[in-house]
Amino acid sequence: MLSRLVLSAAPALLRSLRPAASVGVLHVVRPIHTSQQRSAPVPPLPEKGGEVRHGLIPEEFFQFLYPKTGVTGPYMLGTGLLLYFLSKEIYVVNHETVAAACILSVIIYGIKKYGADVAAFADKLNEEKIAKVTDIKNNAIKDLEAAIEQEKKEQWRAEGRSYLFDAKRNNIAMLLEANYRERLLTVYNEVKKRLDYQVAMQNLKHQKEQDHMIQWVEKNVVQSITPQQQKESIAKCISDLKALSKSAQVAV
Amino acid sequence: MAGRRAALKAIDWAAFAERVPANQRAMFNALKTRSDALSARLASLPEKPPTIDWAHYKAAIAKAGMVDEFQKKFSALKVPEPVDTQTAKIDAQEQEAAKNTAEYVQASKARIAQYEQHLQKLKSMIPFEQMTNEDMAEAFPETKLDMEKNPFWPHRPIADL
């Protein structure tokens, strides 16, 4: 029943909350489903529930009574109601009261002591779930962006195919040109070789003829020296030598 | 002499090397070494062979008419140019490559469009804190639980938990 108060107060609260909450929230207008009536956009759930005092009574009740009765009004009402129920025995004190008191005190003690920890633990669980899914989402985004980059890079690479074919055509042109030059060079070399051969042959022949002639002349000259001439030439040589030795003796 | 002076296009090997993907690097290196070898060979050969000194030979060789005959035959000689058989093939290859590239680029663009779409969907998602289970199934259809096939909780085979 009290939750209905909360629900009726919630829109008012939310309207006051929304400016603050919208700072970090992505406001996306969702497409309106034609099959279901939905108000768009669906507001995010509030972080905290409605304020309550003493874990039971909503704050709105105190605010409602404040103008007429001030701060102590609701407490006086509560005390008065309690005393009325007790004194008129509308609420009967029996063994169940004692049991309720013990149980409630234990419960309240437990909540007071461990409440915050349990809440933190539950929040952590929730956060872990969300963190996991957020990680997945972020990784997916990163992967997609990397993939897009990669595709663009591959496209850029493919544009460079003209280089390849230019290189191939260059190779062909170079090969043809080199072969042609080689052929010209071969022709030149061959012709030169033949001409040089002729010249060399001629030179060789001349030389051989010359050598042969010299040899032949020498041979004939040696042959023509008759024994008579030899004796005469030796005698002349001796007389020359004697004259030379005489002149040498005189010189000394 | 018509086809002799096929102009050699200057190739920017550095830019070419940039565009080569890693798995084709070996082929690129082979092509480069071949190209370099060919250009070295071309550079080593003189453009025209040296001219033969006919006057000297005419004076040196006694045999009459031989040098004249050689000279006549030499100047009449036409060295045939090597015939280019491959350029047509290269051009055909280039056409085919152009076609393949166009196809690839097309497919690539389609893939990019797909990725962009997915990226857009992911980026414009509502934050997880505000999602209901229905919203989650909408955003990531693969997490949707099949209620017809598995009517009872947990709505999926136990092994998949």
Side-chain angles (χ1 to χ4, degrees):
Chain A
M1 182 193 77
L2 288 169
S3 56
R4 267 182 247 146
L5 271 174
V6 174
L7 275 174
S8 62
L13 257 180
L14 280 174
R15 255 174 254 129
S16 59
L17 265 179
R18 200 180 293 168
S22 68
V23 170
V25 161
L26 202 71
H27 264 280
V28 177
V29 177
R30 285 132 140 259
I32 297 186
H33 294 246
T34 51
S35 54
Q36 285 177 10
Q37 291 286 346
R38 268 207 228 174
S39 60
V42 175
L45 290 174
E47 264 304 301
K48 299 233 174 286
E51 286 271 313
V52 272
R53 278 205 214 185
H54 309 296
L56 279 178
I57 305 139
E59 189 64 37
E60 286 79 24
F61 184 66
F62 291 85
Q63 298 306 325
F64 174 65
L65 289 181
Y66 178 77
K68 289 284 182 211
T69 58
V71 183
T72 52
Y75 293 104
M76 296 314 300
L77 178 62
T79 314
L81 266 176
L82 187 62
L83 285 175
Y84 170 63
F85 286 145
L86 282 173
S87 69
K88 285 284 191 179
E89 296 249 320
I90 296 174
Y91 177 71
V92 177
V93 176
N94 52 15
H95 60 285
E96 290 184 355
T97 309
V98 180
C102 298
I103 292 172
L104 280 177
S105 58
V106 169
I107 289 177
I108 289 173
Y109 171 75
I111 289 180
K112 283 254 188 281
K113 189 137 191 245
Y114 303 112
D117 288 341
V118 170
F121 175 71
D123 283 342
K124 196 159 69 78
L125 286 179
N126 217 18
E127 262 174 29
E128 278 173 10
K129 268 194 236 170
I130 289 188
K132 203 168 65 154
V133 188
T134 315
D135 267 344
I136 294 177
K137 175 176 150 193
N138 286 344
N139 282 346
I141 288 183
K142 243 198 327 209
D143 286 340
L144 281 173
E145 285 175 350
I148 290 181
E149 281 304 311
Q150 193 67 17
E151 290 284 335
K152 292 205 175 133
K153 189 137 196 259
E154 289 301 316
Q155 280 184 10
W156 173 76
R157 279 202 216 270
E159 279 171 23
R161 68 186 180 282
S162 59
Y163 284 121
L164 173 65
F165 295 107
D166 285 342
K168 284 196 182 182
R169 276 192 282 256
N170 264 11
N171 278 4
I172 291 180
M174 282 198 284
L175 197 58
L176 294 176
E177 178 73 15
N179 280 352
Y180 183 66
R181 288 189 195 175
E182 223 175 38
R183 288 181 189 180
L184 288 177
L185 203 60
T186 320
V187 165
Y188 164 78
N189 281 342
E190 288 296 312
V191 172
K192 192 153 189 324
K193 264 199 298 199
R194 275 156 182 67
L195 289 173
D196 284 342
Y197 171 74
Q198 293 296 327
V199 171
M201 274 288 284
Q202 261 181 231
N203 288 346
L204 182 67
K205 202 151 161 241
H206 270 159
Q207 201 179 359
K208 283 278 174 253
E209 284 174 359
Q210 267 184 343
D211 286 341
H212 184 256
M213 187 120 46
I214 290 173
Q215 260 186 351
W216 184 82
V217 164
E218 275 181 3
K219 200 172 71 170
N220 278 357
V221 163
V222 167
Q223 267 182 352
S224 70
I225 297 178
T226 58
Q228 172 65 18
Q229 273 182 324
Q230 210 165 355
K231 258 199 258 172
E232 279 182 15
S233 65
I234 288 179
K236 186 149 192 318
C237 284
I238 292 175
S239 63
D240 275 340
L241 274 170
K242 277 199 189 139
L244 269 171
S245 68
K246 272 197 202 131
S247 63
Q249 270 181 354
V250 170
V252 169
Chain B
M1 283 295 198
R4 195 184 158 185
R5 291 277 163 242
L8 288 176
K9 210 161 152 192
I11 294 188
D12 187 0
W13 287 102
F16 188 8
E18 266 181 7
R19 301 213 189 214
V20 171
N23 58 353
Q24 295 175 3
R25 198 140 276 281
M27 294 200 281
F28 169 73
N29 286 339
L31 178 69
K32 185 152 199 299
T33 39
R34 218 169 338 129
S35 259
D36 291 342
L38 279 175
S39 59
R41 183 168 155 223
L42 187 66
S44 72
L45 291 170
E47 194 177 313
K48 284 196 180 314
T51 47
I52 301 183
D53 191 358
W54 297 110
H56 166 250
Y57 284 114
K58 241 186 278 231
I61 294 183
K63 198 172 187 177
M66 181 164 161
V67 178
D68 291 331
E69 201 183 312
F70 268 42
Q71 188 176 11
K72 200 163 52 141
K73 288 227 178 89
F74 183 75
S75 42
L77 177 67
K78 276 216 150 326
V79 179
E81 288 169 18
V83 177
D84 180 7
T85 55
Q86 303 295 329
T87 308
K89 284 196 206 152
I90 301 280
D91 286 339
Q93 272 184 359
E94 192 168 10
Q95 301 297 340
E96 203 183 309
K99 199 159 58 79
N100 283 350
T101 310
E103 269 174 32
Y104 178 76
V105 166
Q106 195 86 347
S108 181
K109 288 212 168 103
R111 277 195 291 268
I112 287 186
Q114 224 179 19
Y115 292 153
E116 292 263 337
Q117 200 190 31
H118 205 178
L119 198 63
Q120 219 35 51
K121 192 178 80 138
L122 280 179
K123 282 201 169 143
S124 64
M125 238 166 54
I126 56 177
F128 291 111
E129 290 91 356
Q130 298 173 28
M131 272 195 189
T132 65
N133 276 344
E134 284 177 344
D135 296 336
M136 182 73 164
E138 218 178 280
F140 299 107
E142 58 266 15
T143 55
K144 198 169 160 98
L145 296 171
D146 195 347
M147 296 293 183
E148 282 92 46
K149 202 159 140 219
N150 310 301
F152 304 113
W153 185 85
H155 303 296
R156 45 183 152 156
I158 303 284
D160 286 353
L161 280 177

